[in-house]
Amino acid sequence: MWSGLSAASRRARCLVSPAVSRQPLRAPCLVDSSAGLGSLDSASASPCLLQSRSFHFPRSNWFPWRTRLIHDRQAALRKKRHILPRKGDPEERPIFYKKEDGNGLAFREKDLRIGMKRLLDYARLIRGRQLQDGIDWVESVARMKSEPILKMMQDAMQECSNKYKLDPARLFIFDAQPQRGKFVRELKKHARGNFGIIRRPRNYFMIRVREMPLEEFFHRIYVFNKVPRSMASDMRLALHQNRVSPQMRKEWAPYLSAHTRQRHRMELKWLDSTRQFDYYQARREWMQRYKSNLLRASAEAREARGLTPLPMAE
């Protein structure tokens, strides 16, 4: 019976006229049948809504010259955000320092079972950030394979703080790069007695950390106003939980939120345009307050025991 049905279906297909069979298939247009013949003629002239389209590029007309103009504009905006001293003082320390000054620390994790493409994503995610910010970003990814990278960054924070006595707030990742390692070959059984060879990567991941000098840290935090997210969130949490006095809201205004940071930058721009902002004087006062805050815990403990506070190191 099935053979007869199949033969009948083949004969029915042969009865179709060749002119009809050679016509291309068209998707049905969304045209109202009650509109009349005029609307059908106009619809047949216009392209159908369901016809196939060409490939959609995410950024149409994103030509190299347009990319160059946008990058130049972004660089001009970043340059405009800086406020530099109007007259240089040879007795003052410089604002920016070289990253390759020989004081950086390198940390490397070996035999990572992660491909180079994924490691490049991790490097792009944490490069240029504060070390604590990088830990928070990698932890927020919530992937099992990110645990070795997260553990390496946490160990780097502990080693820099305990062994080298560096300031955790000024630890920045100035370089992060993956390094290709070896491949481990394994056999995998297939059906019918076949097998295949699987190459599993064992790559490396290295970060380089440095303690940013106080002069550069002041310019980044207070003038350029690029505040790490972990620092701003800790300040807001301390104010919300009443762990600090309400007076700190005014002192921490340049760092708390995007709104307060914008107001702070506008005020600095106005003071600089009216010649009321002394860059070096503001930097000296800011650095003095920062060092006193670092020594506050030890000074209070010594005062409780009746001892004199330690002198502040230059």
Side-chain angles (χ1 to χ4, degrees), residues 127-264:
R127 187 183 294 119
R129 297 185 182 274
Q130 190 193 34
L131 183 55
Q132 184 60 45
D133 259 13
I135 292 175
D136 295 341
W137 275 93
V138 175
E139 192 174 6
S140 65
V141 172
R143 290 183 178 175
M144 291 184 61
K145 288 197 173 183
S146 65
E147 292 180 0
I149 300 177
L150 180 62
K151 184 178 181 301
M152 176 193 62
M153 298 173 68
Q154 292 173 349
D155 294 344
M157 174 68 79
Q158 294 293 331
E159 185 173 348
C160 292
S161 303
N162 300 332
K163 183 178 179 180
Y164 298 100
K165 306 300 182 182
L166 301 180
D167 186 8
R170 290 189 286 148
L171 293 177
F172 282 82
I173 304 172
F174 70 93
D175 187 21
Q177 54 181 330
Q179 299 171 353
R180 189 177 296 278
K182 60 185 179 181
F183 287 91
V184 177
R185 292 176 175 83
E186 298 178 358
L187 294 179
K188 184 178 180 181
K189 294 182 179 180
H190 296 308
R192 298 180 180 179
N194 297 324
F195 66 92
I197 300 177
I198 301 177
R199 301 173 64 200
R200 301 187 184 276
R202 297 293 187 271
N203 297 322
Y204 304 91
F205 191 78
M206 184 181 70
I207 62 172
R208 300 170 69 187
V209 182
R210 74 176 184 125
E211 185 185 32
M212 186 175 290
L214 265 179
E215 294 80 12
E216 187 177 352
F217 189 61
F218 161 77
H219 187 85
R220 181 186 177 96
I221 299 297
Y222 189 80
V223 179
F224 192 71
N225 218 210
K226 193 72 172 180
V227 184
R229 293 194 176 186
S230 58
M231 182 184 299
S233 61
D234 289 344
M235 290 179 177
R236 292 194 299 267
L237 188 61
L239 287 172
H240 179 71
Q241 296 178 351
N242 297 325
R243 289 190 279 114
V244 293
S245 63
Q247 180 65 23
M248 300 303 296
R249 186 183 300 273
K250 182 179 179 181
E251 187 176 348
W252 289 348
Y255 324 106
L256 280 179
S257 62
H259 178 67
T260 59
R261 289 193 290 266
Q262 183 185 13
R263 293 290 298 271
H264 169 70

Side-chain angles (χ1 to χ4, degrees), residues 257-310:
S257 62
H259 178 67
T260 59
R261 289 193 290 266
Q262 183 185 13
R263 293 290 298 271
H264 169 70
R265 291 195 300 269
M266 292 173 60
E267 183 180 356
L268 282 186
K269 282 290 185 181
W270 181 80
L271 290 175
D272 183 65
S273 62
T274 55
R275 307 300 195 272
Q276 302 181 45
F277 180 68
D278 188 356
Y279 184 91
Y280 293 120
Q281 180 65 24
R283 187 173 75 175
R284 284 192 294 268
E285 294 176 357
W286 188 90
M287 291 172 58
Q288 185 74 18
R289 292 195 303 268
Y290 188 83
K291 291 179 180 178
S292 64
N293 289 334
L294 289 180
L295 296 176
R296 185 178 59 183
S298 61
E300 290 177 354
R302 291 179 65 87
E303 288 178 1
R305 294 179 177 88
L307 303 176
T308 59
L310 294 174

